[in-house]
Amino acid sequence: GCVLSADCYARFCRLRGDNVIYICGTDEYGTATETKAIGEGLTPQQICDKYHKIHSDVYKDFNISFDHFGRTTCPSQTDIVQELFWDLEKAGKISRETVEQLYCDHCSRFLADRFVEGTCPHLGCGYEDARGDQCDGCGKLVNAAELISPRCKLCSKTPKIKSSNHLFIDLPKIEADMRTWFVESSKKWSNNASSICNTWLRDGLLPRCITRDLKWGVPVPLEGYKDKVFYVWFDAPIGYLSITKEYTKDWEKWWKNPEQVKLYQFMAKDNVPFHGVIFPCTLTGSPKPWTRVTNLMATEYLNYEDGKFSKSRGVGVFGDQAMQTGIPSDVWRFYLLYIRPESQDTAFSWSDLQMKNNTELLNNLGNFVNRSLKFVSQFYNGEVPEAKPSEADFRVIAAVNHELGNYVNALSNVRLRDGLRYILCITRIGNQYIQDNEPYKLIKPDRSAEDKERGASVISVSVNIVYLVALCLQPYMPDTSAKILAILNLPDASHWYLPTALPHAVPAGCKVTKPEPLIKKITDDDLKLWQAQFQGTDEDSSKTPAKKKSTGTASPAAAGAPVDVDALERRIAEQGDKVRALKAGGASKADIAADVAVLLQLKQQLALAQGLPAQPQAKNKKQKKGEVVRGLKSSGAAKETVSAEVATLLQLKAQLAAALGVDVAALFAPSKTKKKK
């Protein structure tokens, strides 16, 4: 979603001759780092060093072409974070508030959310190891101060409520300027990014706390607050600036130059509010001309097979495991960009990876490249023959140029999936071109001089299409691109610019090396091995939270056979999607009602399996209340009486929609099916 997508786009920008830098890094401050360090018995700095190296190694394996991969634990980070803070403070955009927090006397520290545990306060849960931010038992968000029997995670002592003074960025004072900027900038954002930020702005911005009672972070320089650090989501996005400063002394030409610099940021949609609202507000509140994001590109979620990735349960293949499979990095890059979740969630599938590798890469792209270059090696002693294109050849060249234009347009607009498909369209054109003309027959010794000339032209044109394919592949499959250009005895794509039309870059007489297969077939045995290796296990109770209850009452599910909660959750998600699809497709109410009943039953099973009270029969209540309303209307009851019952009916509809996880308007809107007259 972020690193690979950004790498593909940065490579494309370089290929078309843009002056571009690609900056990334690890954000290393905050509570999560302290928690991880304590868990592994290391200092925060040691844990940061460890994981920075792990990330760096993974990105090297995937051939990520950062200009600089840095980290936020650098001197420049402190300098720029504090500079921005003072800008906001002097502009009157910082406010002070007193916050009630949990404090541990034994540890002499305020407890951040992740440093406190206790019994979940939500009715019907009672999970005893709920964290201060979320309960893993019921999945709901938790306010640390509301935990029942809270305890310090470090010493297990009972903390107390204590006041602490904190600094807030006064977003309401920045909101008007932010909105003006957002209206123009967001026109070039991905749809989900602009939609998410629109929701935040629609509801109005509130002051946001930017300090924490921690030791590990950028220190607050203001008198009276020097025992605190800045909140990680205030300082982390500023890491883009500090990492650029670590890379070049000309960093301000990039970050204080909004008229000449276009800033593209890539991320998953859950990070959008911080990059699309909070960070731009920080820069907007400063009087300096900071460069703000012009193109915020967010992806949806990538799932694994028919469920979700889960590192704790070993479900799915992760970055540090990918190269252990023996699959080349280019194939990983190809497939992940092919299924990039640009507009909706997508799923990684081993069988789909096998199919795409064996059909699109091996049989389509690899076949075209290998055949074209093998003709030169086999029939012309490795020297490209002279081309004398005919009208038919020019039609093929025009078709290739059309797909090249589509490719450039797609990547210019960050439609990375489409760009890859246009490359495959070019290789299909090439394969069909060879199939239609059969140059290997035309150049046989017993053929006429005219046939031989025709066959040589087809081979020469094909070789030049191969060259174009190699250039277009560079953002997606850089190793494969370099291999093709090496066979053509040409330097890699960093020495070339992307042309606007098929060039005659490989003229007659150029030497071509005997080609080797570019793509390896993925066998069924490979597939079975990887599916088994990364399917995970539901038996790892040490990683999955047990349903500890503060009461001694056994849940109804405990009396029967064990229930697969994850499987139930997957079935509920699938059934919910089915209900929404039926409604969107204009299905009849009867059809929808049948699938709604299945969804309700699944939700009740899940509630029992989790030891929670079953969902109330919202549907039955809604139906009964509907009958009451219809009866009142037919009997001519007073308008006030009917209105009161209608209000109750609407409330029950909302409860049913919430229980199903669907929009109430979508569930009860009139069906789109045409009625017979």
Side-chain angles (χ1 to χ4, degrees):
C2 53
V3 175
L4 180 56
S5 298
D7 182 68
C8 181
Y9 186 70
R11 286 176 179 272
F12 168 70
C13 290
R14 297 184 191 114
L15 196 57
R16 68 179 180 183
D18 295 344
N19 182 16
V20 59
I21 56 171
Y22 178 20
I23 296 296
C24 189
T26 45
D27 63 291
E28 300 184 344
Y29 287 127
T31 311
T33 302
E34 285 198 22
T35 306
K36 189 71 174 175
I38 291 169
E40 295 194 19
L42 300 172
T43 67
Q45 186 62 61
Q46 288 171 331
I47 208 76
C48 289
D49 293 343
K50 173 184 174 180
Y51 284 97
H52 180 79
K53 184 180 185 308
I54 290 173
H55 281 280
S56 297
D57 290 344
V58 168
Y59 298 144
K60 286 175 185 174
D61 287 340
F62 275 84
N63 217 339
I64 304 298
S65 63
F66 300 121
D67 287 288
H68 186 54
F69 181 68
R71 50 202 306 187
T72 56
T73 51
C74 64
S76 297
Q77 178 75 355
T78 300
D79 295 342
I80 300 176
V81 169
Q82 292 183 348
E83 175 189 346
L84 272 164
F85 166 74
W86 283 121
D87 286 349
L88 295 167
E89 168 69 3
K90 291 171 185 175
K93 308 292 173 59
I94 297 294
S95 59
R96 284 91 168 145
E97 290 188 30
T98 300
V99 179
E100 299 291 311
Q101 295 178 243
L102 289 172
Y103 182 86
C104 179
D105 284 321
H106 184 266
C107 296
S108 300
R109 64 184 294 168
F110 283 97
L111 299 179
D113 294 343
R114 297 186 183 219
F115 284 124
V116 60
E117 294 179 342
T119 301
C120 177
H122 291 293
L123 186 65
C125 181
Y127 180 62
E128 293 179 354
D129 291 331
R131 299 194 313 270
D133 56 350
Q134 187 175 8
C135 174
D136 287 336
C138 63
K140 294 180 181 178
L141 297 179
V142 172
N143 183 339
E146 296 176 355
L147 285 171
I148 300 168
S149 304
R151 60 188 180 277
C152 172
K153 191 173 180 179
L154 303 177
C155 69
S156 298
K157 303 289 185 183
T158 302
K160 64 182 182 183
I161 298 290
K162 186 176 179 179
S163 298
S164 180
N165 297 322
H166 283 278
L167 300 173
F168 286 67
I169 181 171
D170 202 337
L171 296 181
K173 290 184 178 179
I174 304 171
E175 186 171 348
D177 291 338
M178 168 69 185
R179 285 180 182 275
T180 301
W181 165 81
F182 175 77
V183 167
E184 289 303 313
S185 179
S186 63
K187 291 177 182 178
K188 297 181 180 179
W189 296 11
S190 62
N191 290 334
N192 55 356
S194 59
S195 176
I196 290 167
C197 294
N198 254 319
T199 301
W200 273 61
L201 292 169
R202 180 199 66 201
D203 297 339
L205 301 180
L206 300 172
R208 189 172 183 88
C209 186
I210 60 169
T211 53
R212 290 292 187 269
D213 290 297
L214 296 171
K215 303 296 183 186
W216 185 246
V218 175
V220 178
L222 185 65
E223 199 61 46
Y225 296 86
K226 291 186 177 181
D227 58 338
K228 304 179 191 298
V229 300
F230 286 108
Y231 175 44
V232 66
W233 270 114
F234 177 77
D235 98 88
I238 299 171
Y240 300 121
L241 286 66
S242 67
I243 291 169
T244 308
K245 185 178 179 181
E246 293 288 311
Y247 170 64
T248 173
K249 60 180 175 41
D250 295 326
W251 71 278
E252 290 184 328
K253 291 182 179 179
W254 296 95
W255 284 103
K256 292 183 179 179
N257 192 5
E259 298 302 319
Q260 293 184 295
V261 174
K262 292 183 179 179
L263 173 59
Y264 285 73
Q265 293 185 318
F266 293 80
M267 65 203 64
K269 65 181 179 181
D270 53 339
N271 283 329
V272 165
F274 300 104
H275 290 81
V277 178
I278 306 302
F279 182 41
C281 276
T282 300
L283 300 178
T284 301
S286 165
K288 295 170 183 171
W290 296 102
T291 302
R292 291 170 291 183
V293 60
T294 54
N295 299 71
L296 201 162
M297 315 311 296
T299 55
E300 299 295 323
Y301 295 130
L302 177 66
N303 295 315
Y304 181 76
E305 298 287 359
D306 57 350
K308 294 182 179 180
F309 283 88
S310 173
K311 199 154 195 175
S312 64
R313 293 189 291 111
V315 177
V317 57
F318 293 85
D320 55 347
Q321 303 167 320
M323 295 308 143
Q324 299 171 14
T325 61
I327 298 172
S329 64
D330 267 16
V331 175
W332 282 114
R333 290 174 62 103
F334 163 82
Y335 183 65
L336 291 173
L337 288 166
Y338 195 99
I339 63 169
R340 183 174 185 260
E342 292 181 359
S343 57
Q344 61 184 9
D345 292 356
T346 59
F348 175 94
S349 162
W350 285 109
S351 58
D352 187 53
L353 169 61
Q354 180 194 34
M355 182 181 70
K356 296 294 189 299
N357 179 86
N358 294 350
T359 56
E360 295 289 16
L361 285 184
L362 182 61
N363 295 343
N364 177 7
L365 187 149
N367 183 54
F368 170 65
V369 171
N370 191 66
R371 291 176 79 191
S372 301
L373 300 180
K374 191 174 180 181
F375 292 149
V376 178
S377 173
Q378 184 175 349
F379 299 116
Y380 293 95
N381 199 29
E383 288 191 8
V384 177
E386 185 178 358
K388 294 182 179 179
S390 66
E391 185 179 340
D393 297 323
F394 284 119
R395 285 197 296 269
V396 170
I397 292 170
V400 168
N401 288 340
H402 177 73
E403 299 302 340
L404 174 61
N406 289 337
Y407 167 87
V408 172
N409 181 266
L411 266 75
S412 297
N413 291 284
V414 202
R415 299 198 316 274
L416 306 183
R417 290 180 62 168
D418 287 347
L420 189 52
R421 283 159 172 78
Y422 291 129
I423 297 173
L424 297 172
C425 284
I426 292 174
T427 54
R428 286 193 193 94
I429 291 170
N431 275 316
Q432 191 62 49
Y433 179 50
I434 292 173
Q435 192 68 26
D436 290 345
N437 289 278
E438 298 182 321
Y440 45 88
K441 293 182 180 179
L442 295 174
I443 60 177
K444 286 183 176 181
D446 59 343
R447 300 301 288 263
S448 67
E450 186 179 353
D451 282 348
K452 291 177 182 178
E453 184 179 277
R454 175 74 190 132
S457 294
V458 171
I459 291 170
S460 182
V461 170
S462 296
V463 169
N464 279 276
I465 295 175
V466 167
Y467 163 80
L468 179 65
V469 167
L471 291 190
C472 293
L473 266 183
Q474 207 276 343
Y476 296 93
M477 303 176 70
D479 285 343
T480 304
S481 169
K483 286 178 183 177
I484 296 171
L485 291 171
I487 295 171
L488 293 170
N489 285 299
L490 296 172
D492 65 45
S494 64
H495 294 78
W496 305 91
Y497 289 135
L498 188 67
T500 56
L502 178 67
H504 192 52
V506 194
C510 284
K511 294 290 290 183
V512 171
T513 306
K514 183 179 179 181
E516 297 291 336
L518 294 172
I519 307 297
K520 180 183 176 183
K521 183 178 181 179
I522 293 177
T523 67
D524 290 343
D525 288 341
D526 294 330
L527 185 67
K528 291 174 184 176
L529 174 66
W530 296 327
Q531 286 174 328
Q533 184 178 354
F534 298 105
Q535 68 180 351
T537 175
D538 291 327
E539 299 174 2
D540 190 355
S541 59
S542 65
K543 301 288 182 72
T544 306
K547 286 297 298 179
K548 292 189 198 173
K549 304 287 289 183
S550 56
T551 64
T553 309
S555 66
V563 178
D564 187 340
V565 172
D566 287 340
L568 271 176
E569 289 176 339
R570 287 195 296 270
R571 290 179 63 193
I572 288 170
E574 291 167 0
Q575 190 67 18
D577 290 341
K578 186 176 180 182
V579 169
R580 286 185 285 274
L582 284 171
K583 187 59 191 177
S588 68
K589 288 186 177 180
D591 289 339
I592 295 172
D595 279 289
V596 165
V598 173
L599 182 56
L600 282 172
Q601 187 177 17
L602 288 170
K603 283 182 171 281
Q604 290 177 38
Q605 291 175 15
L606 178 62
L608 292 172
Q610 293 178 326
L612 302 174
Q615 289 284 351
Q617 295 295 323
K619 181 182 176 185
N620 292 336
K621 290 183 179 180
K622 192 273 296 183
Q623 290 174 338
K624 290 177 181 177
K625 184 57 67 176
E627 293 169 2
V628 170
V629 170
R630 287 188 289 273
L632 287 170
K633 285 182 177 179
S634 61
S635 65
K639 186 176 181 180
E640 294 80 7
T641 305
V642 175
S643 296
E645 295 295 338
V646 167
T648 305
L649 175 60
L650 289 174
Q651 187 177 15
L652 288 170
K653 284 185 174 184
Q655 290 175 6
L656 176 58
L660 298 175
V662 298
D663 180 62
V664 65
L667 186 60
F668 297 107
S671 175
K672 295 180 182 177
T673 352
K674 292 182 180 179
K675 295 181 179 178
K676 294 181 181 179
K677 292 183 179 179

